[in-house]
Amino acid sequence: MTRTRHTTGGALALLAAAAVMFPCPTLAVGEGGEESTGGEGTHSSVRGGSSGKDLMASVSNSKIELTFSGGRTTKASTGALTSVDPNWRPPACWYEPVFSPKALKEAVATGEGGLVNAHVWWSNGLWVDHYEKGEGSINSGLTLPEDSTTGGYKNYNIGKKGMFWRSTVRKDMYQDAEAWDCGRIMFWQDAGTIPHDKNAPTPETLAAYAYNRIKVPDTEIELKPRGKSTVNLPTWVWLDKGRYNDVSVRADLPGTGLYAVTTAKPVALRLEPGTADARTHPSSGSCEITEDGSIGTPYTRGASEQDPPCGVTYLRSASGEPYQLKASVTWEISWYGTGGAKGGLPNGTFESTQDLNVQEIQSVNR
């Protein structure tokens, strides 16, 4: 099986010649589009059809539907989480149901509708030969599950109950080696069944997919004093209690009964003063969430010389440039899904940086 990830210029011509000699698909994959409350992305760009000699497609789309709830609002600025585990890798690819028999027949006839993943070249009427005439064994050379079909399909399996499935790859893992694990071309799956394949979708697959779509509020800390601190006097830090709530994303894969709800819960605020000449409160620099859901305590008049439950004390003034105070909220990630499945995923963080001037004044009225 010939594989290519980019087919442009001379490489495209070479690939076309190879496809005529060896009528097997070359596979590269991608997941297109931005998040939405329904299916995401724009459909593939396809040219050619049953009457043409070739058919190419650009990036295909996942059929997963997303529903957002919780702390995400239209008024607040939001951002994506960064996993605290640099070694954690979500699934690079999986299979999804994409066409009914009639829909596939129409898509082949018109050359539209996201027939393939991305940068795939089909030669000599291969679509018609395989899915209409039932000819060809275009999975040859691949290691396939025992229940997989290697022959063709007569008249697109019209009259049978089920769907044609196709691989999808996470868009940020397009060039990842693991993206090639889902090497099967579009195949048939009876209604109400999931493929016996290591890359078949699971609730955890959907949970990881939803994780990457979670948007949390920007980490906007409250400070006292704001913007200008004093050497040896603590700066109090806290989070607006009403701003940081649990955020959930539900991912459904239509036609499978599979779903997962992934929830991010704020659990701590970590402070990095931007200099070694400082003490954090607490000393670990991690301010835990309290029973009432708040992190840190708002400053009250007269508490200027007390150690705050969350804050930082600078021991030396900033020379020239202000200190860069980094604040990151840690979000605990959990999920549940089809059949009572549940689990956890690596915590995520969202960080912000704030300029903080520190002055050499030993007393100040607050």
Side-chain angles (χ1 to χ4, degrees):
M1 177 179 178
T2 305
R3 291 178 177 177
T4 183
R5 299 181 187 222
H6 297 285
T7 54
T8 56
L12 183 58
L14 181 61
L15 177 57
V20 172
M21 295 176 63
F22 306 103
C24 63
T26 59
L27 172 65
V29 283
E31 171 202 353
E34 299 299 326
E35 63 183 58
S36 65
T37 55
E40 57 179 38
T42 56
H43 65 72
S44 300
S45 172
V46 184
R47 65 179 176 85
S50 59
S51 61
K53 293 184 178 180
D54 60 80
L55 188 146
M56 293 184 64
S58 59
V59 177
S60 65
N61 310 310
S62 170
K63 300 296 183 180
I64 295 174
E65 297 179 348
L66 301 176
T67 305
F68 301 89
S69 62
R72 186 181 184 195
T73 67
T74 57
K75 295 181 179 180
S77 298
T78 58
L81 291 172
T82 300
S83 172
V84 299
D85 181 0
N87 297 317
W88 178 71
R89 295 169 60 81
C93 66
W94 59 91
Y95 294 107
E96 297 182 4
V98 289
F99 284 109
S100 67
K102 290 183 178 180
L104 179 58
K105 182 176 182 178
E106 181 180 349
V108 171
T110 60
E112 299 178 355
L115 289 169
V116 286
N117 308 67
H119 306 305
V120 179
W121 183 278
W122 299 88
S123 177
N124 294 339
L126 189 55
W127 283 100
V128 174
D129 291 345
H130 189 67
Y131 295 98
E132 181 176 329
K133 297 180 181 179
E135 298 174 356
S137 178
I138 54 180
N139 274 317
S140 59
L142 297 178
T143 301
L144 299 172
E146 293 181 359
D147 69 336
S148 62
T149 300
T150 56
Y153 304 92
K154 280 285 189 180
N155 195 27
Y156 305 95
N157 273 2
I158 288 177
K160 295 184 178 181
K161 294 183 179 180
M163 294 283 286
F164 285 97
W165 290 52
R166 181 200 63 201
S167 61
T168 297
V169 170
R170 192 180 302 274
K171 64 181 178 181
D172 58 345
M173 300 180 76
Y174 179 85
Q175 298 292 346
D176 196 285
E178 293 181 8
W180 299 93
D181 288 348
C182 303
R184 300 170 66 180
I185 65 155
M186 195 179 320
F187 60 92
W188 176 262
Q189 191 69 30
D190 289 337
T193 65
I194 303 294
H196 295 297
D197 190 295
K198 68 176 183 178
N199 294 303
T202 66
E204 188 166 6
T205 303
L206 299 183
Y209 185 90
Y211 185 169
N212 288 100
R213 300 306 188 276
I214 290 175
K215 291 291 190 295
V216 298
D218 289 347
T219 302
E220 296 182 1
I221 56 176
E222 301 290 336
L223 297 174
K224 184 65 176 183
R226 171 168 291 278
K228 183 176 292 186
S229 293
T230 303
V231 170
N232 293 325
L233 289 178
T235 295
W236 289 56
V237 179
W238 66 95
L239 294 178
D240 181 355
K241 180 180 175 181
R243 179 174 169 79
Y244 296 88
N245 301 307
D246 294 0
V247 181
S248 295
V249 177
R250 176 179 173 124
D252 289 88
L253 184 54
T256 67
L258 296 175
Y259 79 93
V261 178
T262 302
T263 299
K265 176 182 179 181
V267 293
L269 170 68
R270 182 166 184 80
L271 301 176
E272 297 181 34
T275 175
D277 295 316
R279 291 186 292 112
T280 57
H281 310 280
S283 58
S284 65
S286 182
C287 307
E288 304 296 327
I289 192 167
T290 61
E291 291 183 2
D292 65 358
S294 62
I295 297 179
T297 301
Y299 173 81
T300 57
R301 187 173 183 83
S304 60
E305 297 185 7
Q306 300 176 15
D307 286 344
C310 185
V312 58
T313 298
Y314 288 94
L315 307 178
R316 182 175 297 179
S317 63
S319 57
E321 298 295 325
Y323 290 129
Q324 300 291 299
L325 173 62
K326 292 183 179 180
S328 59
V329 174
T330 298
W331 298 76
E332 184 179 74
I333 311 298
S334 61
W335 65 271
Y336 67 88
T338 309
K342 61 181 179 179
L345 295 170
N347 288 350
T349 63
F350 192 84
E351 181 182 280
S352 69
T353 301
Q354 183 163 329
D355 291 346
L356 200 61
N357 292 293
V358 179
Q359 55 188 355
E360 286 278 2
I361 299 176
Q362 301 303 317
S363 62
V364 61
N365 292 324
R366 297 190 179 184

